[in-house]
Amino acid sequence: MAHELPALPYAHDALEPHVDKATMEIHHGKHHAAYVTNLNKALAGSPVESQSLDQLVRGIAAVPENIRGPVRNNGGGHWNHSFFWKLMAPKAGGTPTGDLAAAINAAFGSYVDFQAKFEAAGIGRFGSGWVWLVANGGKLEICSTANQDNPLMGKAIAGCEGTPLLGCDVWEHAYYLKYQNKRADYLKAFWSVVNWAEVAKAYAAAK
Ligand code: MN3
């Protein structure tokens, strides 16, 4: 079955003023939609056409070489954005609680230290990519990937490995209309829309 663009779980303007309506319209309706279209194009008639998105991303090294590049970029893009929309919510933000909060404190010292490290990793990603909180072998780690690579692709390919719990898109298309060159301000604003209940769900599943 062809891959499909998931509906946004909220209205385009629901994350205002932190993420603006125009950015959400273009980001979901144009950028994410293009990843889905181009993924389907790359997969058409190939031996991995019937694989799930998760199988394609985790098994990227086994995707036939003639389509591996486009599947890596567009399959990664589809996975990353589908995950990203759910990680944000209107009237969200606040701080993590329960097991997740304890694991963040254990790994990074405090929630504030975690935020500083996550922001620094996002600012430090040269060009386009993502910053991630991952569960890797029972430990929480922060890392970043280039382009549309995903930690599930593994260290050899993505330079980062583990199960994504939280991810933030640091491509300019994610913030330029509102924040222009100020990626740091966008990363600070991101905390106001993080859906910690969804992150906690991913953490519970990864354990
Ligand atoms: Mn994006």
Side-chain angles (χ1 to χ4, degrees):
M1 203 188 91
H3 296 272
E4 286 176 16
L5 179 68
L8 265 190
Y10 35 75
H12 289 110
D13 62 357
L15 305 179
E16 292 267 10
H18 313 290
V19 185
D20 61 289
K21 182 182 179 189
T23 293
M24 288 302 292
E25 285 172 344
I26 299 166
H27 201 175
H28 176 262
K30 304 290 182 196
H31 290 277
H32 189 173
Y35 296 128
V36 175
T37 300
N38 291 326
L39 175 64
N40 286 327
K41 242 183 240 172
L43 291 174
S46 85
V48 292
E49 190 173 9
S50 64
Q51 285 195 0
S52 71
L53 182 59
D54 216 59
Q55 284 175 312
L56 289 167
V57 168
R58 290 172 189 270
I60 192 67
V63 168
E65 205 183 344
N66 64 320
I67 58 167
R68 195 179 305 150
V71 172
R72 176 178 175 177
N73 290 335
N74 295 291
H78 182 24
W79 197 107
N80 294 348
H81 288 84
S82 300
F83 183 66
F84 186 50
W85 309 134
K86 290 189 291 183
L87 289 172
M88 298 187 287
K91 301 191 181 71
T95 54
T97 55
D99 281 359
L100 176 63
I104 285 175
N105 290 339
F108 307 108
S110 71
Y111 177 63
V112 171
D113 288 320
F114 155 71
Q115 286 181 300
K117 281 181 189 147
F118 189 91
E119 289 173 27
I123 292 162
R125 166 53 54 190
F126 184 79
S128 298
W130 291 73
V131 53
W132 304 95
L133 171 68
V134 298
N136 186 20
K139 267 182 35 198
L140 297 194
E141 296 173 356
I142 289 167
C143 62
S144 82
T145 56
N147 303 317
Q148 295 298 351
D149 286 350
N150 180 294
L152 293 174
M153 292 174 180
K155 197 147 202 152
I157 289 172
C160 168
E161 65 186 348
T163 303
L165 307 181
L166 177 69
C168 185
D169 187 343
V170 298
W171 284 57
E172 284 185 344
H173 69 225
Y175 62 86
Y176 212 84
L177 291 182
K178 183 175 173 78
Y179 298 95
Q180 294 82 48
N181 60 316
K182 299 182 284 287
R183 186 188 286 181
D185 290 0
Y186 159 71
L187 280 158
K188 280 225 179 302
F190 177 65
W191 301 119
S192 298
V193 294
V194 172
N195 181 359
W196 286 108
E198 199 62 32
V199 182
K201 226 194 275 177
Y203 177 57
K207 273 205 296 187

